[in-house]
């Protein structure tokens, strides 16, 4: 479409010079307490970055490190940045026990990495599930989190959105080409990103899917991550507000998709009222969840980064 500006253009222009064969991140592997080999991408950051607390990027339920392929190098211009792949996603191994695909286990996995790398204090950028993990880390690791950015998630979630996710997660087969996969993904998620065109869907599909040895395109996660979601009781089992309040006085950015069916605007406003240094920014024209490539999301994250302590 003439004049159409690609999604993520706020960062793309700055990254074009880096589009060569050289990666700007390093692989990091570690083992969970129950023997699952896990993976993260580590962006070293600028000179002197080792003296400042790093930023951990935590993806959503069905996502992986590629969710942050534009944002992570942008953040790494200021700080060391570590993009986690939760068990069962991307290059992290699948769990033998599907009932370990729960937020408290993900927290334990991330803590194992922090211990291995000798990281005491840190900030987090968490999308959806990643934001829940962020809140749990604040509650279980008091004093260690220096700031958090929660992307379209909070202690109070809408039932309609949770049911939508429960309906599709772990389902689906394979597609013969990337274009077929992109069109199928667009059909499933059209209401979330109504302004997307086919090149936007291709980009998002390549973040969320992988090519099998047989030449088919499939989602890049263990279908068994859906198993805990089928358990009766689910997320209503405990109150997340005390966990959220554990974020205390740290710089807190709350991003909400304007069309979100997960985080209601009223819930976002309650979150701001509950903590002294919380800011709510709404990303226009998208649902759950913003990709964090949107110009207003990037600007909000830059402002949040500027508030983080440097030691």
């Amino acid at each position: 479409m003439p004049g159409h500006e690609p999604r993520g253009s706020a960062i793309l222009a700055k990254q074009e010079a880096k589009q060569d064969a050289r990666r700007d991140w390093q692989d990091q592997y570690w083992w969970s307490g129950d023997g699952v080999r896990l993976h993260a991408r580590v962006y070293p950051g600028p000179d002197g970055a080792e003296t400042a607390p790093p930023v951990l990027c935590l993806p959503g339920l069905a996502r992986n490190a590629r969710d942050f392929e534009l944002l992570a190098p942008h953040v790494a211009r200021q700080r060391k940045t570590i993009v986690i792949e939760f068990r069962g996603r991307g290059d992290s191994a699948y769990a033998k026990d599907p009932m370990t695909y729960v937020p408290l286990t993900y927290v334990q996995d991330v803590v194992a990495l922090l211990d291995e790398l000798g990281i005491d204090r840190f900030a987090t950028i968490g999308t959806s599930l990643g934001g829940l993990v962020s809140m749990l880390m604040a509650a279980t690791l008091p004093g260690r989190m220096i700031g958090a950015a929660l992307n379209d998630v909070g202690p109070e979630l809408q039932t309609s959105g949770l049911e939508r996710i429960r309906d599709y997660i772990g389902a689906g087969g394979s597609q013969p080409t990337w274009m077929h996969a992109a069109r199928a993904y667009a059909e499933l998620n059209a209401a979330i990103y109504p302004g997307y065109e086919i090149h936007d869907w291709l980009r998002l599909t390549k973040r969320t899917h992988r090519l099998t040895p047989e030449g088919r395109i499939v989602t890049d996660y263990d279908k068994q991550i859906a198993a805990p979601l089928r358990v009766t009781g689910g997320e209503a089992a405990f109150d997340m507000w005390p966990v959220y309040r554990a974020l205390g006085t740290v710089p807190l950015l709350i991003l909400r998709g304007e069309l979100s069916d997960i985080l209601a605007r009223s819930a976002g406003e309650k979150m701001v009222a509950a903590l002294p240094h919380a800011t709510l920014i709404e990303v226009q024209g998208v649902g759950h969840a913003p990709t964090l490539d949107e110009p207003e999301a990037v600007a909000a994250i830059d402002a949040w980064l500027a508030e983080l302590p440097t030691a």
Side-chain angles (χ1 to χ4, degrees), residues 36-60:
V36 179
R37 190 174 188 245
L38 302 168
H39 174 258
R41 292 181 177 183
V42 178
Y43 296 77
D47 291 342
E50 288 296 332
T51 63
V55 173
L56 308 182
C57 295
L58 308 174

Side-chain angles (χ1 to χ4, degrees), residues 70-82:
L70 292 182
L71 183 67
H74 178 76
V75 173
R77 295 171 64 202
Q78 301 183 50
R79 288 179 182 257
K80 181 177 181 178
T81 303
I82 303 172

Side-chain angles (χ1 to χ4, degrees), residues 177-219:
T177 69
W178 283 108
M179 185 61 74
H180 283 87
R183 293 195 182 282
Y185 202 53
E187 183 175 346
L188 180 65
N189 295 285
I192 299 175
Y193 306 110
Y196 272 24
E197 297 185 24
I198 190 58
H199 59 272
D200 297 311
W201 289 113
L202 275 168
R203 177 177 54 81
L204 191 57
T205 301
K206 288 186 177 182
R207 288 183 178 181
T208 56
H209 293 62
R210 63 180 174 85
L211 180 66
T212 70
E214 296 75 29
R216 304 288 292 186
I217 310 299
V218 299
T219 49

